[in-house]
Amino acid sequence: MTDATTYLHAYDEQLRTDAETPSAVAVTRHGPLRLVTFAGGRGFVTYRDLGGADADAIRELVEVAVEHFRADDEITRVEWKTRGHDEAPGLHDALVSHGFEPGEPESIMIGPLSALAGLGEVPDGVTVRRVTTEGDVRAMSAMVDEAFGERVDARTADALLSRLARGDGMELWVAEVDGRMVSGGRLEPVPGTDFVGIWGGATLEAFRHRGIYRALTAARARSALAGGKTLVHSDSTEGSRPILERSGLIAVSTTTPYDWAR
């Protein structure tokens, strides 16, 4: 088998389980679906596969998922996470007809964690550190929202703080220039697997192309290696994908989020 085939098999077998959502407040099973509730009013739909369902059965699954989350007044938004290698006839049409909007496709990147550990030295004038205090977490969350061009959402910081309080293994890392946070991202060890996830990486536009994101990624990778992990996975935008490819990670599939808002 090629590396891509081996990695994709490991991804499906190890990550598309309850290990995918360690921070869930609640998980409801319906057929192949896992209907997940996160802190901060966020719902999430994922699955190992759709069990060979045809288009009519898939439409029924979408209807059940929407009604499940509609029934919880605290849920304000839901993401249905699709993967490009799944057999899912009619899923796009079913999601769109039930109010979901497709986001930008991202590459599912997998490779040896050690490849990222030497990705880049910290540039002069830059500090990379792990953050844990409420003030730092809120500042990081706001900066990442800004870097992604999104409205600052305090609920995201609330959810991160809730996870830190539960001690589910997540780590938050930032890079600073002259005391200002300019880049940040999460490290997500997946319990019971070889994997760690590198997520949420974002750098303010004025500070891109300086090696800051590479240094931030390397710091997270070294932390994960120290914790005994060997493989890394990440859903990467077109901006971060080339950096990960140059470090030996492989695009094994794609993922497209479909978002629903109350």
Side-chain angles (χ1 to χ4, degrees):
M1 292 190 294
T2 65
D3 285 344
T5 302
T6 301
Y7 287 151
L8 184 58
H9 179 75
Y11 173 86
D12 283 338
E13 292 297 320
Q14 296 190 40
L15 297 181
R16 299 181 72 175
T17 68
D18 285 334
E20 184 180 8
T21 54
S23 61
V25 173
V27 179
T28 298
R29 297 298 298 264
H30 179 80
L33 303 183
R34 285 189 294 120
L35 308 175
V36 184
T37 299
F38 289 117
R42 186 166 69 91
F44 184 70
V45 183
T46 187
Y47 37 86
R48 167 62 180 81
D49 57 53
L50 291 172
D54 62 17
D56 289 338
I58 286 176
R59 178 173 291 275
E60 291 178 4
L61 290 173
V62 173
E63 290 174 355
V64 167
V66 170
E67 289 308 310
H68 170 81
F69 289 114
R70 280 191 185 277
D72 184 346
D73 290 338
E74 293 187 3
I75 296 293
T76 60
R77 60 204 191 282
V78 178
E79 176 188 339
W80 184 300
K81 186 178 180 71
T82 71
R83 277 85 167 191
H85 62 287
D86 284 347
E87 290 292 330
L91 179 58
H92 168 82
D93 291 341
L95 289 170
V96 170
S97 68
H98 284 82
F100 286 85
E101 295 185 1
E104 290 297 321
E106 297 182 343
S107 298
I108 299 173
M109 309 292 296
I110 298 180
L113 184 59
S114 57
L116 297 185
L119 191 56
E121 297 298 323
V122 179
D124 290 342
V126 177
T127 300
V128 174
R129 65 184 178 94
R130 185 177 170 185
V131 297
T132 58
T133 67
E134 180 174 355
D136 279 345
V137 171
R138 292 195 181 281
M140 171 191 167
S141 181
M143 179 272 297
V144 169
D145 284 343
E146 180 185 349
F148 278 126
E150 299 174 353
R151 178 178 57 85
V152 173
D153 189 344
R155 294 173 301 180
T156 303
D158 291 340
L160 293 173
L161 288 164
S162 176
R163 291 188 59 186
L164 288 176
R166 289 200 301 273
D168 64 13
M170 178 192 68
E171 297 179 10
L172 303 176
W173 289 78
V174 298
E176 296 172 316
V177 175
D178 296 328
R180 177 189 180 187
M181 292 182 186
V182 300
S183 185
R186 305 191 313 277
L187 181 70
E188 303 253 7
V190 184
T193 75
D194 301 320
F195 281 96
V196 65
I198 300 280
W199 299 106
T203 304
L204 295 176
E205 186 173 5
F207 294 88
R208 294 171 189 168
H209 310 298
R210 301 187 189 184
I212 295 174
Y213 176 77
R214 291 193 296 272
L216 182 71
T217 300
R220 288 181 285 172
R222 288 191 291 269
S223 180
L225 283 170
K229 298 300 185 182
T230 59
L231 293 175
V232 61
H233 73 107
S234 181
D235 294 347
S236 298
T237 64
E238 285 303 295
S240 59
R241 180 180 57 80
I243 296 173
L244 299 180
E245 283 182 329
R246 288 195 295 269
S247 301
L249 274 65
I250 298 172
V252 300
S253 186
T254 60
T255 179
T256 302
Y258 283 72
D259 296 313
W260 174 92
R262 187 177 295 278

